[in-house]
Amino acid sequence: MGERKVLNFFYPNDFDPTLIPRRKKPKNQQEVIRLMAPFNMTCVRCGEWIVRGKKFNAQKETCEEKYLGLDIFRFFIKCPKCGSEITFITDPKNADYAPERGATRNYEQWKAEREEKERLEKKKASAEEQNPMQALENRTLESKREMDLLDELEELKDANARKAHLSIESVLTQHGSVSEQLAEERRRAEEAEDEQLVRSIFRGAGAGSAGGSSVDGKAAGVFVKRIDEDWGEKKKKEVKRTSVGGGGAGAVSATDLLLLLLLLLLLLLLLLRPRPAPP
């Protein structure tokens, strides 16, 4: 157990590790490694679907070709169903893997989107090289888009700064002041409406006692009953009959009593009208 932890090995003082001969490996010697499938693939021979991430005991070797001085490695695995050999290599250009023999790569949406994006970028670059005005227009649009993004970012920063200074007490105080203002405006409007109603009633009553219909009363929503044309003669006869019957000159007619009762009733309704409770 002590040897397993490399604690009891003795190294003399004159030990020189450079004198130990190194074993040279062949140039294209294959190494056995443990790896996972880098992409979804389908076996060409049996149609077995190999999912990405499936583990294999693979063999690794270095290819003769290189890409910009970078080595390209080849990996050998076997199909788990039929045992046929499948090989794939590294792709330093696209930072990916590419199938070589024995299997085909399944469709992947992200890979198609990346290829489409690269194709559009190349097309745009070629169009700008051929048309300088188009390149200038594209740069103008990009600068405008950047300016808009910066403006939006500044607005968001200002909004966050305003929210950072807010507190619960300030919000409640502001809400309470607004509610009080609304309640005061509502109370003033109700008082003005009541005052207008009372004035219209008094104007209608004055016009009715004079012997005509009140136009202002109708405009305010108060209807006054129209009096007959011979009301004056009937009134004279009633006064004369009353004086003859012994009522005296200070007698009160029935119409005046009716108008007085009507005014008292309206005033009582106004006083008993429920007021809305303040919020």
Side-chain angles (χ1 to χ4, degrees):
M1 293 299 292
E3 295 177 358
R4 180 177 63 83
K5 298 181 180 179
V6 195
L7 296 175
N8 298 328
F9 287 168
F10 173 74
Y11 294 95
N13 295 330
D14 57 349
F15 176 73
D16 188 4
T18 58
L19 299 178
I20 299 176
R22 293 185 176 274
R23 184 178 59 180
K24 293 184 178 180
K25 296 181 180 180
K27 186 176 182 181
N28 293 329
Q29 183 182 5
Q30 294 183 352
E31 300 177 7
V32 178
I33 61 173
R34 184 76 170 171
L35 57 75
M36 293 186 292
F39 50 82
N40 298 329
M41 63 184 77
T42 304
C43 180
V44 176
R45 182 177 179 183
C46 63
E48 176 70 10
W49 189 67
I50 302 173
V51 69
R52 176 184 179 182
K54 187 177 180 59
K55 295 182 179 180
F56 291 93
N57 293 324
Q59 294 180 356
K60 170 188 171 185
E61 70 176 11
T62 305
C63 300
E64 297 180 356
E65 61 271 10
K66 295 185 178 182
Y67 175 77
L68 300 178
L70 299 176
D71 293 333
I72 297 177
F73 300 100
R74 181 180 289 108
F75 302 93
F76 299 86
I77 61 175
K78 290 185 178 181
C79 176
K81 184 176 181 180
C82 64
S84 61
E85 188 178 58
I86 299 173
T87 62
F88 55 89
I89 59 176
T90 57
D91 187 8
K93 181 179 180 180
N94 299 320
D96 198 3
Y97 293 84
E100 189 178 29
R101 187 179 66 254
T104 58
R105 185 167 184 168
N106 296 343
Y107 174 78
E108 294 175 342
Q109 185 177 1
W110 65 269
K111 190 171 185 297
E113 291 178 354
R114 186 180 67 179
E115 293 176 355
E116 182 67 18
K117 184 178 180 180
E118 292 176 355
R119 185 184 65 81
L120 293 176
E121 289 179 354
K122 291 180 181 179
K123 184 178 179 181
K124 182 179 179 181
S126 62
E128 290 180 354
E129 291 178 358
Q130 297 177 1
N131 190 357
M133 295 301 296
Q134 184 69 24
L136 179 61
E137 183 179 355
N138 292 338
R139 286 196 296 270
T140 304
L141 292 175
E142 290 178 0
S143 61
K144 182 179 178 182
R145 190 182 302 109
E146 291 179 358
M147 294 286 290
D148 295 340
L149 292 176
L150 290 176
D151 293 340
E152 292 180 1
L153 182 60
E154 290 295 333
E155 291 178 0
L156 291 175
K157 288 183 178 179
D158 295 340
N160 292 334
R162 288 194 299 270
K163 291 179 180 179
H165 295 295
L166 289 178
S167 62
I168 299 176
E169 291 78 8
S170 60
V171 173
L172 292 176
T173 304
Q174 184 178 3
H175 181 69
S177 61
V178 171
S179 302
E180 291 177 359
Q181 291 178 0
L182 293 176
E184 184 66 20
E185 292 178 359
R186 192 180 300 109
R187 186 181 62 80
R188 291 178 181 177
E190 291 177 356
E191 290 180 356
E193 184 180 356
D194 295 343
E195 186 69 21
Q196 185 178 2
L197 180 61
V198 171
R199 289 180 180 178
S200 62
I201 292 172
F202 277 104
R203 283 199 299 270
S209 62
S213 61
S214 174
V215 178
D216 296 337
K218 291 181 180 180
V222 179
F223 297 91
V224 181
K225 186 176 180 181
R226 185 178 295 276
I227 303 176
D228 297 335
E229 295 178 356
D230 55 347
W231 179 81
E233 297 179 0
K234 292 181 179 180
K235 186 67 177 176
K236 290 179 181 179
K237 292 180 180 179
E238 289 177 1
V239 171
K240 192 173 182 181
R241 192 180 300 110
T242 304
S243 60
V244 172
V252 181
S253 63
T255 306
D256 295 337
L257 290 174
L258 183 60
L259 291 175
L260 183 60
L261 291 175
L262 180 61
L263 291 175
L264 291 175
L265 181 60
L266 289 175
L267 290 175
L268 183 61
L269 291 176
L270 290 176
L271 291 175
L272 296 178
R273 180 180 180 183
R275 298 287 183 176

